[in-house]
Amino acid sequence: MNTEELRATARALVAKSRGILAADESTSTIKKRFDSIKLESTEENRRVYREMLFTAPGAREYISGVIMYDETLRQKTKDGLPFPAYLAQHGMVPGIKVDMGAKPLPGFPGETITEGLDGLRERLAEYYKLGARFAKWRAVIDIGSGIPSPYAIDANAEALARYASLCQEAGIVPIVEPEVLMDGAHTLERCEDVTNVVLDRVFEHLFAARILLEGIVLKPNMVVAGKNCSQKASPEQVAEATVRTLKRQVPSAVPGIAFLSGGQSPTEATLHLSLMNAAGPLPWALTFSFGRALQENALSAWGGKSTGYSGGQQALFVRAKLNGLAAAGAYKGSMESSAA
Ligand code: 13P
């Protein structure tokens, strides 16, 4: 294991005022996104969309790395340059989603286990050759009546650790993503309790699997109330609860934490991130690894039309810049109108 390479990649991913663009939607997920703009999900439309995002003028200043899907990693710009080479040449680390999705966990109704460990060593070796230097695996924890069960949390934490060790063996930085979903009517306090337990179990398994903590990036949910919760939490409460949880659970050897957006609106996610960074010195970098919160405005401005191409790029640039400011604790809601 080349520990220096792993440390350097992890540090680059969470470098000051930069974060990750999650553009790793599977073919079925990107189809849903394209349905919302009434665009057919063909391989070429998916390629054009990803090229629009990756080449957006100015955005790369704020984007340290890009997570791709298997198909995207093998696609090229219109000029024939493979996407991983394009990204690396422009100072963005190429990344790859390697899990095969969350599948029903037998015996545990309503819970899932993320699959994809079989054959992962061979896939990682190929992805490294194709230029990937970091990977992502998403474990999904749902909150509901009687769930999550300790067994489901543990099974997912163990799978994350096994994935992380295979990545590090291959010279690839694992993004360790245990996502506690926002779906449901649970309170912020319940999300905090569950997130604490999940992170506790994840770090226990990472330690047992002898993971180099300096060579990972954690990608957690923020601590928020469920989407259907009647008690709304303020942005300050979200920031405070999230930082409190992370301080309790994440060793300072981890270089950085890059949040998923998880269904928060783009502006909410940015504000929460900024408040956390403004709150004071933290033992790790806190930044973004947003999918929807970075892409939503770009997707609708583009609309699948060549006339929307530069508008889509501008929309991505704006969100990347505002999130770059948030990663330094310097974002204000009032910047939204002047940036647009
Ligand atoms: P969202 O920011 O849309 O939650 O996506 C991030 C991601 O990569 C989920 O796995």
Side-chain angles (χ1 to χ4, degrees), residues 265-324:
S265 74
T267 50
E268 275 171 345
T270 309
L271 177 59
H272 290 153
L273 177 62
S274 194
L275 289 173
M276 287 184 233
N277 277 303
L282 298 166
W284 358 252
L286 270 195
T287 187
F288 57 91
S289 176
F290 296 160
R292 284 162 286 180
L294 271 173
Q295 293 184 48
E296 219 169 87
N297 302 354
L299 180 70
S300 55
W302 174 54
K305 299 189 177 72
S306 53
T307 47
Y309 198 86
S310 64
Q313 291 193 318
Q314 172 66 12
L316 178 74
F317 164 73
V318 167
R319 287 260 58 87
K321 181 174 178 181
L322 295 177
N323 282 303

Side-chain angles (χ1 to χ4, degrees), residues 107-287:
F108 290 80
E111 298 195 272
T112 60
I113 178 72
T114 299
E115 294 188 349
L117 290 171
D118 289 352
L120 183 56
R121 175 177 273 130
E122 292 72 25
R123 288 196 290 133
L124 286 166
E126 189 198 3
Y127 288 144
Y128 189 95
K129 280 198 201 124
L130 289 169
R133 291 296 177 271
F134 76 103
K136 169 189 129 169
W137 177 290
R138 174 173 172 258
V140 181
I141 305 293
D142 207 353
I143 298 181
S145 146
I147 64 168
S149 65
Y151 180 81
I153 294 172
D154 222 51
N156 277 290
E158 187 185 6
L160 275 168
R162 290 190 54 201
Y163 140 82
S165 63
L166 285 163
C167 285
Q168 291 195 333
E169 179 189 78
I172 288 180
V173 165
I175 294 216
V176 173
E177 180 178 358
E179 175 172 7
V180 178
L181 295 178
M182 276 175 80
D183 300 342
H186 55 270
T187 59
L188 175 133
E189 288 74 23
R190 175 108 167 94
C191 178
E192 181 169 354
D193 285 347
V194 172
T195 304
N196 264 292
V197 174
V198 168
L199 292 176
D200 176 70
R201 301 307 298 150
V202 166
F203 280 97
E204 180 160 329
H205 279 280
L206 293 178
F207 178 74
R210 303 181 176 168
I211 299 305
L212 177 79
L213 292 181
E214 292 82 354
I216 73 164
V217 171
L218 179 71
K219 176 163 172 167
N221 52 285
M222 296 184 193
V223 173
V224 293
K227 265 186 248 166
N228 302 324
C229 178
S230 50
Q231 296 159 251
K232 270 273 145 221
S234 69
E236 288 74 18
Q237 284 171 316
V238 170
E240 203 178 307
T242 305
V243 169
R244 179 167 58 226
T245 303
L246 295 172
K247 280 186 173 167
R248 286 178 179 164
Q249 303 299 344
V250 185
S252 55
V254 173
I257 297 170
F259 292 103
L260 58 94
S261 57
Q264 300 178 59
S265 74
T267 50
E268 275 171 345
T270 309
L271 177 59
H272 290 153
L273 177 62
S274 194
L275 289 173
M276 287 184 233
N277 277 303
L282 298 166
W284 358 252
L286 270 195
T287 187

Side-chain angles (χ1 to χ4, degrees), residues 19-197:
I20 298 166
L21 167 63
D24 58 323
E25 297 82 5
S26 63
T27 308
S28 62
T29 302
I30 197 73
K31 181 180 179 310
K32 285 186 221 149
R33 306 276 189 267
F34 281 7
D35 283 349
S36 74
I37 56 165
K38 300 195 170 53
L39 178 70
E40 195 189 344
S41 181
T42 62
E43 185 174 348
E44 177 57 10
N45 283 342
R46 295 192 290 270
R47 193 202 65 74
V48 169
Y49 176 59
R50 267 62 181 253
E51 177 164 0
M52 177 193 82
L53 297 176
F54 302 168
T55 62
R60 67 185 157 112
E61 190 178 337
Y62 311 101
I63 293 176
S64 58
V66 176
I67 321 177
M68 287 172 277
Y69 185 58
D70 183 275
E71 173 187 275
T72 319
L73 191 79
R74 300 169 195 278
Q75 286 178 324
K76 297 180 174 149
T77 64
K78 63 178 179 330
D79 300 328
L81 193 59
F83 282 145
Y86 177 88
L87 293 170
Q89 282 175 18
H90 290 81
M92 295 176 276
V93 185
I96 177 76
K97 182 228 292 293
V98 301
D99 68 68
M100 307 288 254
K103 305 288 162 63
L105 180 65
F108 290 80
E111 298 195 272
T112 60
I113 178 72
T114 299
E115 294 188 349
L117 290 171
D118 289 352
L120 183 56
R121 175 177 273 130
E122 292 72 25
R123 288 196 290 133
L124 286 166
E126 189 198 3
Y127 288 144
Y128 189 95
K129 280 198 201 124
L130 289 169
R133 291 296 177 271
F134 76 103
K136 169 189 129 169
W137 177 290
R138 174 173 172 258
V140 181
I141 305 293
D142 207 353
I143 298 181
S145 146
I147 64 168
S149 65
Y151 180 81
I153 294 172
D154 222 51
N156 277 290
E158 187 185 6
L160 275 168
R162 290 190 54 201
Y163 140 82
S165 63
L166 285 163
C167 285
Q168 291 195 333
E169 179 189 78
I172 288 180
V173 165
I175 294 216
V176 173
E177 180 178 358
E179 175 172 7
V180 178
L181 295 178
M182 276 175 80
D183 300 342
H186 55 270
T187 59
L188 175 133
E189 288 74 23
R190 175 108 167 94
C191 178
E192 181 169 354
D193 285 347
V194 172
T195 304
N196 264 292
V197 174

